[in-house]
Amino acid sequence: MPKRHTDLFAGIANFRALREAALKAALGKRSKPGVAAFMANLEKNVLRIERALQEGRWQSGAYTEIELHEPKRRMVSAAPFRDRVVHHALCAVVGPIFERGFIDDTFANRLGKGTHRAVARYEQFRNRYRHVLRADIYRYFPSIDHAILKADLRRRIACRQTLWLLDTLIDGSNAQEPVHLLFPGDDLLTPLARRRGLPIGNLTSQMFGNVYLDALDHFIKEVLCAPYVRYVDDFALFHDDPAVLAVWQERLATFLARRRLRLHPVKTFVVPTTKPAEFLGYVLLPGDHRRLPDANVRRFRNRLRGLRDRWRAGTVASEAVVQHVEAWIAHAENADTWRLRQSLFRGGWFDPLREPDGSPDGRGLRGGSWNNNARNTRAANRNNNSPGNRNNNNGFRLASSPSRARAAFLKGNVGVPEGVHGPS
């Protein structure tokens, strides 16, 4: 039986912890109206939260629901900023308690882990075994059972006030998309009697999601003794014999049913490890090669086009556009970035990467076009025109590094046609 922790609430509901949580929650978001209003009266607002927690009056606020359709349809829920302050304070105290019990091969929402390490671990196992069981849980966050989650939390938490706060957060979850699943022993009314679902977007939901699947992690590693890697509800088991993986799949289905979860009927399958596999935003190929899926490149181009239009209209800061591009580049640099460079050049996007021919990082390069592709951006005779020919679709400046791109874009003269200027 794991150690159960008491006297945790004093580390959550105090002014210093809540103020630190507010500063963390506000990172990169201070320009948003709700965050700016809270931070304008930081001390006063933190004192109000502290008092409400200590008096047992704190309740979750109403969520703002946003429906996304890429890469798949899902609903993201944004909690009020005052709630996010409490989420940060709670996770700072409770998170490390559960972190100590997690296995090493689960990589989501953990310090020092992340998608790139998960992909590298997947490749290590793929290179050692002949077959892989790829698995996904059907509608994971909407399916999380509140009663089972609360029991999991009580295995390590014995502080009465902290359990009250945890229960309040879980009970305050907004309604998620319905999941019509029946399990052994259920009748037709059972799904209506059991509360399910956590809001996607909460820091606490990320922590709860790992806690809820911790039992699965230990079952796979300690009972099945399987080579295994998991990122949220996307996971893989490896073995040389596909028959063994088929047996494991049946045992996993039985285990997950006890936690009122079901394997995805389409996304769960056994394949040879020699086949290309799409995992966490990369297509993994034999020989440790990776490329970006075509759908991801298209999605990035569409998002960047929308951000550019919003920037021109003055509804988004240029800094946000640059941050979005640099974040995507950080992901793309772990694969073949040729597709990214092509995506940025087509349609007149600026290129924050080095030129494909390897020009020194940090140099600005003149050339480019609103309708030319990458190969023409440095040619002396663009489109086979004579040197004396002057076209109005050439001549803006490109930058070859993220830092150079940031500086140039903030001045409003990168990837923008002549006469168009960004908002000040």
Side-chain angles (χ1 to χ4, degrees), residues 73-282:
R73 183 184 175 276
R74 60 193 175 117
M75 184 180 72
V76 175
S77 304
F81 185 74
R82 60 175 287 276
D83 289 16
R84 282 178 266 161
V85 173
V86 176
H87 298 171
H88 276 266
L90 176 67
C91 289
V93 173
V94 174
I97 294 173
F98 288 95
E99 174 68 28
R100 289 191 287 270
F102 291 156
I103 67 169
D104 194 49
D105 284 329
T106 175
F107 291 86
N109 309 311
R110 299 177 65 191
L111 188 65
K113 298 290 186 177
T115 57
H116 299 150
R117 291 179 184 269
V119 170
R121 187 61 166 160
Y122 182 102
E123 290 174 326
Q124 288 177 6
F125 287 138
R126 177 204 60 190
N127 294 340
R128 290 166 52 190
Y129 298 94
R130 296 179 181 176
H131 290 83
V132 56
L133 167 61
R134 289 293 308 276
D136 191 281
I137 296 176
Y138 180 72
R139 293 186 180 178
Y140 175 52
F141 279 98
S143 299
I144 291 177
D145 187 272
H146 289 191
I148 295 176
L149 175 59
K150 290 177 181 179
D152 289 342
L153 294 170
R154 281 160 171 76
R155 293 182 70 247
R156 292 185 179 273
I157 305 296
C159 175
R160 179 181 57 82
Q161 290 174 295
T162 302
L163 288 172
W164 160 77
L165 180 57
L166 290 165
D167 291 348
T168 300
L169 279 168
I170 296 170
D171 294 338
S173 301
N174 57 332
Q176 302 297 302
E177 60 177 319
V179 181
H180 303 291
L181 296 176
L182 292 174
F183 297 93
D186 286 358
D187 57 37
L188 292 177
L189 298 179
T190 300
L192 300 176
R194 302 184 71 99
R195 285 211 61 192
R196 293 179 295 184
L198 295 178
I200 299 174
N202 274 3
L203 182 66
T204 49
S205 295
Q206 297 173 8
M207 179 182 71
F208 293 154
N210 275 336
V211 170
Y212 201 82
L213 288 183
D214 184 51
L216 173 68
D217 295 338
H218 285 277
F219 172 76
I220 292 174
K221 297 294 284 187
E222 297 165 12
V223 178
L224 299 183
C225 300
Y228 166 69
V229 57
R230 177 175 70 82
Y231 191 93
V232 193
D233 61 327
D234 190 354
F235 57 98
L237 291 79
F238 298 82
H239 200 277
D240 288 331
D241 188 349
V244 172
L245 292 174
V247 172
W248 285 353
Q249 181 175 340
E250 294 179 3
R251 296 186 67 180
L252 287 174
T254 302
F255 182 89
L256 288 171
R258 295 199 295 268
R259 302 188 66 78
R260 306 191 66 80
L261 298 173
R262 183 163 295 174
L263 291 172
H264 198 290
V266 175
K267 298 180 181 179
T268 302
F269 49 85
V270 176
V271 292
T273 53
T274 54
K275 287 191 174 182
E278 190 167 332
F279 185 61
L280 302 182
Y282 300 103

Side-chain angles (χ1 to χ4, degrees), residues 283-359:
V283 177
L284 307 181
L285 306 169
D288 292 333
H289 297 297
R290 305 174 187 171
R291 68 173 178 83
L292 302 172
D294 293 338
N296 286 22
V297 175
R298 287 194 300 269
R299 189 159 53 247
F300 169 72
R301 292 189 66 213
N302 291 337
R303 288 178 181 174
L304 185 55
R305 182 181 294 111
L307 283 171
R308 183 195 64 178
D309 293 342
R310 289 169 58 196
W311 169 74
R312 285 179 173 176
T315 59
V316 65
S318 55
E319 181 76 10
V321 182
V322 176
Q323 288 177 352
H324 179 83
V325 174
E326 290 182 356
W328 207 84
I329 288 171
H331 171 75
E333 283 181 335
N334 285 270
D336 173 16
T337 59
W338 179 86
R339 292 173 182 268
L340 172 63
R341 293 168 180 167
Q342 293 291 312
S343 172
L344 289 174
F345 275 112
R346 290 197 193 104
W349 312 124
F350 64 91
D351 183 8
L353 296 174
R354 293 189 297 273
E355 283 290 287
D357 63 0
S359 60

